[in-house]
């Protein structure tokens, strides 16, 4: 087991710096508790990088990212750049592409402490435990774009190989879970979705222990709210995964609860970030929910650093803090980012005895 790691921190814009600072405090205490050494480097991305370095991500930052063991990112995006020629978000897309981070894992779980925070009925969300596997480096995000005054287009392209590799990630995850993959597409309209469906069926043949079914994305959006417990692993393309994961955040009750891991080929650094954005409406108020970023740091220990023990320690700290009622306003609470962070730090440091 390795015990020393280089982490690149990319706080970004809006609430990004607030939630990354919180996660760093938890990583520090977890590192101390488990006896590992973390060395951090911090760089700019997004609107902050446009302002200070003239571009949303510099080549040097991309190089440092590739040379790190893992990257923890806050969020990018700022209203100041909504009409500008260069958008902060393009820095994040470039980073994902240059790491070849094609598989984005977005777990959605509803722990008992959050039953009251969901806008849905308790019996609908109780026990929800699903994993959204979102393809992250293809589709309309990266196809050719035409942007004119009178006409615009975003080309959606998928190759067999791109679908195969992300499908394998989903099937392998399902093998370690409830053994079920639901592939979500729009095969009644889109050619890329018809290829997607047939490649997923081919890959399914390699995993006889996993049941697969296919549903259309519009129906998936409905079932996610009507009966979320029917899902184990959801496998879907880039754009559908983006939309469905924001919808799924309402199962635990807030965008501030969903972490993510973006992974490429084995041996390459993973990128870990909350599912939410820079939340300009609440930035710099000290009230941002840090749980999603803290849980992303836990995913980093599990998926990139080979330390599931440390991941478990952080996750335990989070669940004890939630059980003890430490909630930011988005969860109906009154605690600040700092108070929640202090609680998670305390219970992560306390170790196994507490949960
Ligand atoms: P958002 O996720 O930033 O915010 C949506 C709503 O959820 C807001 O009301 C916000 O206050 C709330 N929210 C989000 N995270 C929260 C948290 N941790 N704690 C408490 N409340 C939270 O989405 P948006 O408003 O549509 O986008 C804002 C900007 O963020 C845009 O520029 C967008 O492109 C960018 N964005 C970035 C990422 C990313 O960096 N990965 C993801 C999504 C959106
Ligand atoms: C996300 C975000 C990004 C995406 C944006 C900021 C480019 O919404 O990570 O979900 O669409 O992938
Ligand atoms: Mn999104």
């Amino acid at each position: 087991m390795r015990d020393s790691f280089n982490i690149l921190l990319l706080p970004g814009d809006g609430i990004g710096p607030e939630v990354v600072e919180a996660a760093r405090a938890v990583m520090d205490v977890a590192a101390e508790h488990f006896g590992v050494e973390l060395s951090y480097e911090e760089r700019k991305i997004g609107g902050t990088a446009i302002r200070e370095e003239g571009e949303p991500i510099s080549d040097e930052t991309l190089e440092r990212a590739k040379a790190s063991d893992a990257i923890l990112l806050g969020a990018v995006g700022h209203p100041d750049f909504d009409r500008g020629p260069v958008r902060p978000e393009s820095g994040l897309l470039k980073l994902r592409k240059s790491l070849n981070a094609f598989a984005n894992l977005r777990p959605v779980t509803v722990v008992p402490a959050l039953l009251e925070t969901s806008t849905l009925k308790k019996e609908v969300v109780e026990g929800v435990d699903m994993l959204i596997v979102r393809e992250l480096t293809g589709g309309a995000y990266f196809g050719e774009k035409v942007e004119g005054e009178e006409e615009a287009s975003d080309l959606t392209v998928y190759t067999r190989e791109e679908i195969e590799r992300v499908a394998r990630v989903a099937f392998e995850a399902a093998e370690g879970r409830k053994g079920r993959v639901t592939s979500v597409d729009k095969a009644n309209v889109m050619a890329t979705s018809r290829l997607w469906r047939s490649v997923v069926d081919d890959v399914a043949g390699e995993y006889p222990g996993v049941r697969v079914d296919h549903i259309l994305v519009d129906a998936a959006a409905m079932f996610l709210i009507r009966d979320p417990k029917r899902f184990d692993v959801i496998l879907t393309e880039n754009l559908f995964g983006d939309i469905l994961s924001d919808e799924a955040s309402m199962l635990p009750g807030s965008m501030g609860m969903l972490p993510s891991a973006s992974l490429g080929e084995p041996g390459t650094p993973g990128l870990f970030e909350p599912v939410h954005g820079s939340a300009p409406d609440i930035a710099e108020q000290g009230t941002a929910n840090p749980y999603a970023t803290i849980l992303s740091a836990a995913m980093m220990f599990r998926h990139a650093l080979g330390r599931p023990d440390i991941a478990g320690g952080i996750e335990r700290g989070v669940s004890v803090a939630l059980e003890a009622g430490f909630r930011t306003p988005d969860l109906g609470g009154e605690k600040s980012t700092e108070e929640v962070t202090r609680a998670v730090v305390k219970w992560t440091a306390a170790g196994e005895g507490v949960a």
Side-chain angles (χ1 to χ4, degrees), residues 30-224:
E32 201 185 317
H33 182 78
F34 287 88
V36 301
E37 200 181 315
L38 301 177
S39 37
Y40 302 100
E41 180 181 1
E42 188 171 316
R43 301 191 66 90
K44 301 197 183 322
I45 190 170
T48 328
I50 300 179
R51 275 198 198 94
E52 294 184 28
E53 297 170 352
E55 51 188 344
I57 190 163
S58 69
D59 288 345
E60 202 183 331
T61 300
L62 289 171
E63 285 316 310
R64 297 306 300 152
K66 285 187 207 156
S68 70
D69 291 313
I71 303 132
L72 184 72
L73 183 138
V76 294
H78 194 283
D80 284 0
F81 299 98
D82 280 352
R83 290 170 173 278
V86 186
R87 296 197 57 107
E89 291 84 347
S90 64
L92 175 57
L93 298 179
K94 199 168 171 188
L95 176 64
R96 290 173 177 169
K97 192 73 171 177
S98 59
L99 294 168
N100 193 23
F102 61 84
N104 182 216
L105 313 185
R106 298 185 157 188
V108 184
T109 50
V110 178
V111 296
L114 292 180
L115 281 179
E116 309 301 328
T117 64
S118 178
T119 49
L120 299 172
K121 288 191 193 116
K122 186 176 165 199
E123 56 271 28
V124 173
V125 296
E126 193 164 25
V128 161
D129 178 12
M130 73 177 81
L131 175 68
I132 299 176
V133 178
R134 169 190 177 194
E135 201 291 327
L136 202 61
T137 50
Y141 277 67
F142 293 95
E144 188 192 341
K145 291 188 186 293
V146 176
E147 203 154 358
E149 287 291 315
E150 303 298 328
E151 198 175 312
S153 63
D154 301 272
L155 187 65
T156 304
V157 183
Y158 269 110
T159 65
R160 170 172 290 273
E161 197 208 329
E162 283 175 312
I163 303 165
E164 272 172 3
R165 63 185 185 178
V166 72
R168 289 203 177 95
V169 171
F171 280 89
E172 268 152 42
E175 280 183 325
R177 296 172 50 97
K178 285 171 255 163
R180 177 147 187 212
V181 169
T182 302
S183 178
V184 173
D185 61 38
K186 187 70 185 169
N188 54 348
V189 175
M190 295 182 72
T192 40
S193 281
R194 289 190 282 273
L195 177 65
W196 182 278
R197 207 174 259 227
S198 102
V199 174
V200 170
D201 275 335
D202 291 345
V203 172
E206 299 167 22
Y207 300 87
V210 178
R211 277 183 302 148
V212 63
D213 62 347
H214 302 270
I215 56 173
L216 299 171
V217 62
D218 42 359
M222 178 274 291
F223 278 121
L224 211 43

Side-chain angles (χ1 to χ4, degrees), residues 234-313:
I234 292 181
L235 165 64
T236 193
E237 63 125 282
N238 204 344
L239 184 59
F240 301 157
D242 178 46
I243 299 165
L244 292 180
S245 51
D246 270 36
E247 187 191 3
S249 78
M250 281 302 112
L251 303 171
S254 171
M255 287 296 295
M257 290 310 302
L258 295 198
S260 90
S262 305
L263 308 174
E265 299 297 343
T268 61
L271 168 64
F272 299 83
E273 47 169 323
V275 167
H276 65 71
S278 55
D281 53 339
I282 59 157
E284 287 169 45
Q285 293 173 19
T287 57
N289 181 341
Y291 284 118
T293 314
I294 293 170
L295 290 167
S296 301
M299 290 186 88
M300 170 187 289
F301 281 106
R302 178 172 293 111
H303 294 281
L305 308 181
R307 295 297 302 249
D309 53 335
I310 305 182

